[in-house]
Amino acid sequence: MSGPDERAPAAAGQDRAAPDGTRPAAGSPLCVSLTTDYGLFDGFVAACHGVLARLAPTVRVIDVTHLIPPADVRRGAAVLAQTVPYLPWGVHVAVVDPGVGTTRRGIALAAPGGLLVGPDNGLLIPAAEALGGVTEAVELTNPDWLGPVVSRTFHGRDVFAPVAARLALGAPLAEAGPAVDPGTLVRLPEPVVRAEPGGLTAEVLTVDHFGNVQLAAPGTLLDGLPSRVLVNGHEAVHGRTFGDAEPGTLVVHVDSAGLVAVAVNTGRAADTLTATPGALVAITHP
């Protein structure tokens, strides 16, 4: 089904100030955003909200989503990176953390467009790049910044939310723990993107609520392709938006993130293509 797609800047290094302005004046509380795979069935999200409300009651909290598929770090990273440039300047907490309680580090990052807090598993890096790149990184080891008891399995409540609250109230990042060389931060593997004669092959980056399939390929790779193409052997329209195809028909287009996407007008491209994140999709001349 067609619908709004997630938004992201087209390329790293561009100006990514939020549409409503830049960093607030010194001393003003910052916004905190939350992105997790906690779901809505349990009290995990409420517990994080509670910690923030106790420590920083004047801070506005924005829930990006808590419906990231469990442990899907790549999906969480994509959603976060495609959202944070349009949020107020603030502290962005992300928790998709299958390594919680292990030797993986808890980190906080500074970028020109905001601060990020979460696990060092690659989740935060695309968002940091979307906000201008990592300028400072610390490991979250200061016990005074953490909860009174730190569970081995709930760092969102006991580590990341308390740190975010303090940062949102203006505490210096350096007080959260020792500096980390940004070059040692964990990064996700680069997705497959291949420009080929007469088309392209690219990895599925995300599948959204509407079943639209977003590829990791920049939209410029569609330049020069004809008005009719094949997507993994299925006939498709090469158009500009969902309505350029007849209902039930595949359409290949450049989405609002500047990436190649495949949709079905009033349908679900993911079902038509049986495409899941990480799968390869080939777009070719018919």
Side-chain angles (χ1 to χ4, degrees):
M1 177 177 181
S2 57
D5 49 64
E6 291 159 352
R7 301 182 62 85
Q14 295 177 341
D15 180 9
R16 292 177 176 84
D20 62 347
T22 56
R23 184 170 186 166
S28 300
L30 305 182
C31 157
V32 172
S33 78
L34 295 173
T35 303
T36 78
D37 61 353
Y38 287 161
L40 301 176
F41 186 78
D42 303 290
F44 303 136
V45 174
C48 293
H49 270 268
V51 170
L52 291 167
R54 283 172 175 264
L55 295 176
T58 61
V59 169
R60 179 185 179 192
V61 180
I62 296 176
D63 293 289
V64 175
T65 182
H66 299 290
L67 298 178
I68 299 297
D72 191 342
V73 176
R74 187 180 288 277
R75 170 67 174 169
V79 169
L80 187 66
Q82 293 181 28
T83 304
V84 292
Y86 302 95
L87 299 179
W89 208 105
V91 185
H92 306 295
V93 179
V95 192
V96 182
D97 193 15
V100 62
T102 68
T103 57
R104 74 97 184 93
R105 297 179 292 195
I107 54 172
L109 309 178
L115 305 171
L116 300 113
V117 176
D120 182 21
N121 61 4
L123 177 65
L124 304 181
I125 298 299
E129 292 172 348
L131 294 174
V134 177
T135 58
E136 185 180 358
V138 299
E139 184 175 2
L140 307 179
T141 59
N142 182 349
D144 294 336
W145 277 49
L146 310 181
V149 177
V150 176
S151 163
R152 291 185 181 274
T153 59
F154 198 179
H155 285 187
R157 178 193 66 194
D158 301 334
V159 177
F160 304 136
V163 167
R166 287 167 172 79
L167 291 174
L169 291 176
L173 184 68
E175 291 184 5
V180 169
D181 178 355
T184 68
L185 297 171
V186 174
R187 286 167 168 76
L188 297 171
E190 288 295 321
V192 173
V193 179
R194 294 196 300 266
E196 297 167 341
L200 65 102
T201 296
E203 188 174 324
V204 175
L205 187 61
T206 69
V207 175
D208 69 15
H209 172 72
F210 298 96
N212 300 323
V213 176
Q214 182 187 64
L215 305 185
T220 52
L221 291 187
L222 293 179
D223 293 350
L225 290 183
S227 60
R228 296 278 175 175
V229 294
L230 295 177
V231 181
N232 282 2
H234 297 270
E235 292 186 355
V237 172
H238 174 199
R240 296 174 300 171
T241 188
F242 314 115
D244 287 342
E246 295 294 326
T249 302
L250 284 168
V251 58
V252 176
H253 64 105
V254 180
D255 71 7
S256 62
L259 299 176
V260 176
V262 186
V264 169
N265 188 3
T266 66
R268 295 181 58 83
D271 295 343
T272 300
L273 300 174
T274 23
T276 56
L280 295 182
V281 170
I283 299 174
T284 58
H285 279 276

